[in-house]
PDB file of all heavy atoms in Angstrom:
ATOM      1  N   ILE A  85     -20.088 -22.559  18.245  1.00 97.00           N
ATOM      2  CA  ILE A  85     -19.348 -21.566  17.439  1.00 97.00           C
ATOM      3  C   ILE A  85     -18.421 -20.821  18.461  1.00 97.00           C
ATOM      4  O   ILE A  85     -18.862 -20.158  19.339  1.00 97.00           O
ATOM      5  CB  ILE A  85     -20.262 -20.530  16.777  1.00 97.00           C
ATOM      6  CG1 ILE A  85     -21.321 -21.274  15.917  1.00 97.00           C
ATOM      7  CG2 ILE A  85     -19.469 -19.537  15.958  1.00 97.00           C
ATOM      8  CD1 ILE A  85     -22.401 -20.342  15.395  1.00 97.00           C
ATOM      9  N   ALA A  86     -17.135 -20.999  18.220  1.00 98.00           N
ATOM     10  CA  ALA A  86     -16.141 -20.316  19.112  1.00 98.00           C
ATOM     11  C   ALA A  86     -15.933 -18.931  18.672  1.00 98.00           C
ATOM     12  O   ALA A  86     -16.134 -18.569  17.471  1.00 98.00           O
ATOM     13  CB  ALA A  86     -14.844 -21.095  19.083  1.00 98.00           C
ATOM     14  N   ASP A  87     -15.656 -17.997  19.643  1.00 97.00           N
ATOM     15  CA  ASP A  87     -15.362 -16.603  19.310  1.00 97.00           C
ATOM     16  C   ASP A  87     -16.429 -16.054  18.352  1.00 97.00           C
ATOM     17  O   ASP A  87     -16.130 -15.578  17.283  1.00 97.00           O
ATOM     18  CB  ASP A  87     -13.964 -16.579  18.699  1.00 97.00           C
ATOM     19  CG  ASP A  87     -13.502 -15.083  18.447  1.00 97.00           C
ATOM     20  OD1 ASP A  87     -13.980 -14.188  19.196  1.00 97.00           O
ATOM     21  OD2 ASP A  87     -12.698 -14.842  17.560  1.00 97.00           O
ATOM     22  N   THR A  88     -17.660 -16.043  18.841  1.00 98.00           N
ATOM     23  CA  THR A  88     -18.788 -15.652  17.979  1.00 98.00           C
ATOM     24  C   THR A  88     -18.626 -14.191  17.549  1.00 98.00           C
ATOM     25  O   THR A  88     -18.344 -13.316  18.356  1.00 98.00           O
ATOM     26  CB  THR A  88     -20.092 -15.810  18.746  1.00 98.00           C
ATOM     27  OG1 THR A  88     -20.128 -17.137  19.317  1.00 98.00           O
ATOM     28  CG2 THR A  88     -21.280 -15.705  17.721  1.00 98.00           C
ATOM     29  N   GLN A  89     -18.913 -13.975  16.303  1.00 97.00           N
ATOM     30  CA  GLN A  89     -18.774 -12.621  15.664  1.00 97.00           C
ATOM     31  C   GLN A  89     -20.130 -12.106  15.226  1.00 97.00           C
ATOM     32  O   GLN A  89     -21.096 -12.876  15.029  1.00 97.00           O
ATOM     33  CB  GLN A  89     -17.882 -12.680  14.397  1.00 97.00           C
ATOM     34  CG  GLN A  89     -16.468 -13.215  14.700  1.00 97.00           C
ATOM     35  CD  GLN A  89     -15.701 -12.348  15.681  1.00 97.00           C
ATOM     36  OE1 GLN A  89     -15.553 -11.140  15.498  1.00 97.00           O
ATOM     37  NE2 GLN A  89     -15.178 -12.927  16.748  1.00 97.00           N
ATOM     38  N   THR A  90     -20.213 -10.770  15.025  1.00 95.00           N
ATOM     39  CA  THR A  90     -21.521 -10.227  14.602  1.00 95.00           C
ATOM     40  C   THR A  90     -21.967 -10.816  13.262  1.00 95.00           C
ATOM     41  O   THR A  90     -23.205 -10.933  13.030  1.00 95.00           O
ATOM     42  CB  THR A  90     -21.455  -8.681  14.527  1.00 95.00           C
ATOM     43  OG1 THR A  90     -20.360  -8.364  13.642  1.00 95.00           O
ATOM     44  CG2 THR A  90     -21.223  -8.072  15.874  1.00 95.00           C
ATOM     45  N   GLY A  91     -21.063 -11.175  12.450  1.00 94.00           N
ATOM     46  CA  GLY A  91     -21.425 -11.808  11.190  1.00 94.00           C
ATOM     47  C   GLY A  91     -22.037 -13.186  11.338  1.00 94.00           C
ATOM     48  O   GLY A  91     -22.498 -13.788  10.341  1.00 94.00           O
ATOM     49  N   ASP A  92     -21.971 -13.786  12.498  1.00 96.00           N
ATOM     50  CA  ASP A  92     -22.539 -15.081  12.750  1.00 96.00           C
ATOM     51  C   ASP A  92     -24.064 -14.930  13.039  1.00 96.00           C
ATOM     52  O   ASP A  92     -24.728 -15.946  13.108  1.00 96.00           O
ATOM     53  CB  ASP A  92     -21.903 -15.741  13.919  1.00 96.00           C
ATOM     54  CG  ASP A  92     -20.449 -16.065  13.688  1.00 96.00           C
ATOM     55  OD1 ASP A  92     -20.118 -16.396  12.510  1.00 96.00           O
ATOM     56  OD2 ASP A  92     -19.662 -16.039  14.616  1.00 96.00           O
ATOM     57  N   SER A  93     -24.571 -13.687  13.206  1.00 96.00           N
ATOM     58  CA  SER A  93     -26.014 -13.485  13.442  1.00 96.00           C
ATOM     59  C   SER A  93     -26.764 -14.014  12.231  1.00 96.00           C
ATOM     60  O   SER A  93     -26.560 -13.605  11.138  1.00 96.00           O
ATOM     61  CB  SER A  93     -26.298 -12.002  13.609  1.00 96.00           C
ATOM     62  OG  SER A  93     -25.688 -11.578  14.836  1.00 96.00           O
ATOM     63  N   ALA A  94     -27.641 -14.951  12.498  1.00 96.00           N
ATOM     64  CA  ALA A  94     -28.428 -15.611  11.428  1.00 96.00           C
ATOM     65  C   ALA A  94     -29.349 -16.642  12.059  1.00 96.00           C
ATOM     66  O   ALA A  94     -29.395 -16.734  13.287  1.00 96.00           O
ATOM     67  CB  ALA A  94     -27.469 -16.358  10.541  1.00 96.00           C
ATOM     68  N   ILE A  95     -30.088 -17.309  11.240  1.00 95.00           N
ATOM     69  CA  ILE A  95     -30.859 -18.447  11.700  1.00 95.00           C
ATOM     70  C   ILE A  95     -30.122 -19.744  11.429  1.00 95.00           C
ATOM     71  O   ILE A  95     -29.665 -19.903  10.246  1.00 95.00           O
ATOM     72  CB  ILE A  95     -32.272 -18.498  11.061  1.00 95.00           C
ATOM     73  CG1 ILE A  95     -33.032 -17.152  11.456  1.00 95.00           C
ATOM     74  CG2 ILE A  95     -33.099 -19.739  11.575  1.00 95.00           C
ATOM     75  CD1 ILE A  95     -34.420 -17.058  10.785  1.00 95.00           C
ATOM     76  N   TYR A  96     -30.018 -20.601  12.327  1.00 97.00           N
ATOM     77  CA  TYR A  96     -29.303 -21.817  12.149  1.00 97.00           C
ATOM     78  C   TYR A  96     -30.275 -23.044  12.209  1.00 97.00           C
ATOM     79  O   TYR A  96     -31.078 -23.166  13.141  1.00 97.00           O
ATOM     80  CB  TYR A  96     -28.271 -21.992  13.284  1.00 97.00           C
ATOM     81  CG  TYR A  96     -27.121 -21.031  13.126  1.00 97.00           C
ATOM     82  CD1 TYR A  96     -27.241 -19.736  13.572  1.00 97.00           C
ATOM     83  CD2 TYR A  96     -25.902 -21.399  12.463  1.00 97.00           C
ATOM     84  CE1 TYR A  96     -26.231 -18.776  13.367  1.00 97.00           C
ATOM     85  CE2 TYR A  96     -24.906 -20.512  12.293  1.00 97.00           C
ATOM     86  CZ  TYR A  96     -25.061 -19.211  12.750  1.00 97.00           C
ATOM     87  OH  TYR A  96     -24.036 -18.301  12.518  1.00 97.00           O
TER      88      TYR A  96
END
Side-chain angles (χ1 to χ4, degrees):
Chain A
I85 305 173
D87 187 24
T88 312
Q89 302 298 306
T90 54
D92 294 326
S93 293
I95 298 176
Y96 291 81

